[in-house]
Amino acid sequence: MADKVNTRQRSREATVDTDDDVGIQIGTPRNRSPQRKHTFEIEDPATYESKGLLSGITGKWNEFYANKDFGNILLLIALYWLQGIPLGLAHGSIPFLLKEKLSYAQVGLFSLAGCFWSPFVDSIYDRKFGRRKSWIVPIQLIVAVMFWWMGSHIDGLMRDPETNIGEIMYLFLAVVFMSATQDIAVDGWALTLLSEENLSYASTCQTVGINCGFFMSFTVFLALNSTEFSNKYIYSTPREDGFLQLGPYMAFWAAVYLLVTLYLIIFKTEHTDSNDDYGIVETYKTIWRICKLPHMKLLIAVLFFAKIGFIPNDSVTQLKLIERGLHKEDMALAVLIDFPIQIFFGYYAARWSRGDSKLKPWRVAFVLRLVCCVFGMLTVHFFPTGGLTSGYFYVSASMASTVQFVGMSAFITQIADPVIGGTYMTLLNTLSNFGGTWPVYFIMRSVDIFSRATCTLPNGSSYTCVAQHDRDLCTKDGGTCDVHLDGYFVVSSTCIVLALMLYYGFVRPTVLHLERLPAHVWRVSKDAQK
């Protein structure tokens, strides 16, 4: 026994060369070989380097630039960016036009339609032109034509929105539908456009691209369209109109759509494998076989129920803060601060989603989002009228939401079958989005059910003033609305406790199991069935 100990000691010492080196660094478990578990690495102090923030950023950029998929990553970001432009207009700058005519259920049904439309995008194409280009190119040309036409007509329609509400709404719904169809094709193309080791960057491209496009069409456009902003920061003499109107803005992006489309036609070649042909019926059958996989059933259950704890914070907290006097410009400032944070954490979430623990960022962000929900409740409770801004918890919650989105998207990208990639990713992304929308009605309805508020009028009469309409009427009548119990705190607390129980009882152990499964068990394509 002593001989074995001495042998190990001599072997350990033999790995260290002590001639002239003074810097000793113990190797990490990843770079130790199985035969040399106690290896030491000798580092010459002359090679020590002091790296500042700028050099670190430069190094990351050089590493990214040297990536063999650098050009394809930029192309994906550009395509997702173009998707974000109409989404920012329809859901950011002109949201009231949709809300006046569409209920939450109708909007959810419209989004869900993409799941049933996606098999056509995956099945019908021109093999010579390319499976994904067959859809991306014509769609972008159609959007370019629509944007160009709207560029000369939309300002006239917007001058009388009550009369033209139907035409405006259906124009933007058509553009959003085109964008959603393009998203299916781009999602599928990302699986073959990027090499296997860079697949996790597909979700980063989506996050960066769509957020940039949304930011341009929402925050930047509204600022340049604002008369107050333009007179304060741009014009030397006050004017009645903002610096940028909707028509010229859409005409500019029509030209950008056209340029990107011409680049795809002339310079980008897509190779389509003839063995990957799927008919429409076969694609629908494949979707059904995917949903019947035992581990897919578990993933669908996670996607359906994991977001219950976040719904009150995402849907009600901001409304409650505005009720208590939060200024909308403060929320706009929070969005402005939040944008670069989303880009930063979106990039690193994709890097963290590699290896065996693919969903670790998603799990960490899950807990962080619940903590942010608690901070949201505390902010609403202690919020002074006309006082603080909620930017700090808003940015934190949004950052956690971005990490979860990128983490889950990166996981879906890695398990998706490239043959039906658009359908596969659209199916799971739709289910994930639906998991965050189906509880909204019940949550908001429950807030009203558990709330208790009474309006007392000067003549002594009283009535319930739970709804916003009743509160406004109470103020108009000169009464006082006294809130005895705010259902928001009851519902939010219940959802957080339920989410914690669900997380540790089902979600966490299920996710730990799913992330360890090999990629081939998620696939039911022809190649996987051989």
Side-chain angles (χ1 to χ4, degrees):
M1 182 67 182
D3 292 339
K4 291 183 178 180
V5 173
N6 292 333
T7 302
R8 283 200 194 105
Q9 184 65 30
R10 285 194 302 271
S11 176
R12 187 181 308 170
E13 293 172 353
T15 62
V16 182
D17 181 9
T18 58
D19 291 342
D20 299 310
D21 301 301
V22 293
I24 298 180
Q25 178 183 357
I26 299 178
T28 62
R30 288 187 177 181
N31 55 34
R32 296 175 191 162
S33 65
Q35 292 79 18
R36 301 175 64 190
K37 297 181 179 179
H38 303 285
T39 301
F40 293 96
E41 294 179 359
I42 309 305
E43 195 170 351
D44 190 346
T47 63
Y48 290 168
E49 221 178 306
S50 178
K51 292 186 178 180
L53 178 61
L54 182 60
S55 61
I57 295 175
T58 304
K60 290 294 183 183
W61 169 254
N62 291 334
E63 177 185 345
F64 178 63
Y65 182 76
N67 193 305
K68 64 180 180 180
D69 289 331
F70 176 75
N72 291 333
I73 290 174
L74 291 184
L75 175 60
L76 284 175
I77 291 175
L79 293 176
Y80 281 121
W81 191 316
L82 292 181
Q83 291 178 39
I85 295 299
L87 295 179
L89 290 173
H91 299 292
S93 297
I94 320 176
F96 63 92
L97 294 178
L98 296 177
K99 289 182 181 177
E100 286 182 358
K101 292 294 182 179
L102 292 180
S103 66
Y104 284 111
Q106 289 171 317
V107 174
L109 183 62
F110 178 77
S111 300
L112 191 62
C115 185
F116 299 99
W117 173 243
S118 60
F120 288 87
V121 180
D122 270 328
S123 304
I124 302 174
Y125 60 92
D126 184 339
R127 185 179 296 112
K128 293 182 179 179
F129 193 59
R131 177 192 290 265
R132 312 305 174 184
K133 284 175 60 179
S134 295
W135 286 89
I136 296 174
V137 168
I139 285 174
Q140 291 193 163
L141 288 176
I142 293 173
V143 174
V145 172
M146 292 182 67
F147 268 37
W148 187 261
W149 183 89
M150 294 170 72
S152 57
H153 293 80
I154 192 65
D155 288 329
L157 295 174
M158 294 289 289
R159 292 190 185 97
D160 189 8
E162 293 183 2
T163 304
N164 303 314
I165 179 64
E167 187 175 353
I168 296 172
M169 181 188 69
Y170 288 115
L171 280 172
F172 277 102
L173 281 178
V175 172
V176 170
F177 178 76
M178 292 294 173
S179 179
T181 304
Q182 179 184 351
D183 182 67
I184 298 169
V186 175
D187 283 347
W189 200 8
L191 297 180
T192 55
L193 201 59
L194 300 179
S195 56
E196 185 174 355
E197 62 268 23
N198 290 318
L199 276 180
S200 60
Y201 282 115
S203 56
T204 302
C205 295
Q206 185 180 33
T207 301
V208 172
I210 291 182
N211 274 317
C212 286
F214 197 97
F215 180 74
M216 289 288 295
S217 288
F218 185 23
T219 307
V220 175
F221 171 74
L222 285 183
L224 297 178
N225 183 257
S226 169
T227 303
E228 293 78 9
F229 180 89
S230 300
N231 286 331
K232 185 175 182 179
Y233 296 105
I234 300 176
Y235 296 142
S236 56
T237 56
R239 302 183 186 181
E240 294 183 358
D241 296 326
F243 176 77
L244 181 61
Q245 300 303 307
L246 184 57
Y249 180 79
M250 299 189 74
F252 166 79
W253 282 107
V256 176
Y257 266 95
L258 182 61
L259 290 175
V260 174
T261 306
L262 289 176
Y263 170 81
L264 290 178
I265 295 173
I266 300 172
F267 298 106
K268 196 64 183 176
T269 303
E270 181 186 1
H271 301 284
T272 303
D273 190 345
S274 59
N275 295 325
D276 291 343
D277 287 346
Y278 264 76
I280 297 175
V281 175
E282 182 63 26
T283 303
Y284 277 110
K285 290 181 179 179
T286 301
I287 292 177
W288 181 242
R289 290 198 297 270
I290 290 172
C291 293
K292 289 197 301 181
L293 294 173
H295 39 276
M296 183 58 71
K297 293 178 182 177
L298 291 175
L299 179 59
I300 291 174
V302 170
L303 296 177
F304 257 68
F305 299 106
K307 297 181 180 179
I308 289 179
F310 316 135
I311 301 300
N313 185 64
D314 295 344
S315 304
V316 186
T317 298
Q318 292 184 27
L319 299 177
K320 287 294 180 180
L321 289 170
I322 292 175
E323 285 180 9
R324 283 164 165 74
L326 174 66
H327 300 294
K328 292 183 179 180
E329 52 267 29
D330 292 333
M331 289 301 300
L333 178 62
V335 173
L336 185 63
I337 298 172
D338 174 57
F339 174 71
I341 293 177
Q342 285 200 39
I343 301 299
F344 176 82
F345 280 96
Y347 169 75
Y348 278 100
R351 294 178 63 90
W352 298 334
S353 300
R354 297 177 174 182
D356 297 331
S357 300
K358 300 180 182 67
L359 288 172
K360 184 177 181 179
W362 186 90
R363 299 196 304 272
V364 173
F366 187 103
V367 178
L368 179 58
R369 273 184 92 176
L370 289 181
V371 172
C372 291
C373 292
V374 175
F375 276 112
M377 283 196 301
L378 294 175
T379 303
V380 171
H381 181 73
F382 293 106
F383 192 85
T385 303
L388 301 170
T389 174
S390 66
Y392 67 92
F393 92 84
Y394 174 84
V395 171
S396 300
S398 181
M399 177 268 290
S401 176
T402 298
V403 171
Q404 276 205 300
F405 170 78
V406 174
M408 182 57 70
S409 297
F411 176 71
I412 293 172
T413 303
Q414 294 175 63
I415 66 173
D417 193 329
V419 177
I420 53 167
T423 298
Y424 207 124
M425 294 180 67
T426 300
L427 170 67
L428 293 180
N429 284 327
T430 300
L431 292 175
S432 179
N433 293 332
F434 190 65
T437 55
W438 74 263
V440 171
Y441 171 79
F442 302 100
I443 294 295
M444 301 191 78
R445 179 63 179 158
S446 299
V447 171
D448 288 338
I449 292 175
F450 288 102
S451 294
R452 300 288 183 271
T454 304
C455 176
T456 305
L457 300 177
N459 59 11
S461 61
S462 62
Y463 56 86
T464 301
C465 57
V466 172
Q468 182 63 45
H469 172 74
D470 295 329
R471 287 195 293 271
D472 295 339
L473 182 62
C474 180
T475 303
K476 183 179 180 180
D477 294 340
T480 302
C481 185
D482 296 319
V483 179
H484 310 297
L485 176 65
D486 194 334
Y488 161 74
F489 296 104
V490 177
V491 174
S492 187
S493 301
T494 302
C495 287
I496 290 174
V497 172
L498 180 62
L500 282 172
M501 296 172 59
L502 191 65
Y503 177 72
Y504 288 103
F506 170 71
V507 172
R508 186 175 183 274
T510 300
V511 167
L512 286 172
H513 166 67
L514 295 178
E515 69 181 4
R516 294 190 177 98
L517 295 175
H520 67 85
V521 304
W522 297 91
R523 302 179 179 180
V524 292
S525 65
K526 296 175 182 178
D527 292 337
Q529 294 172 11
K530 288 180 180 179

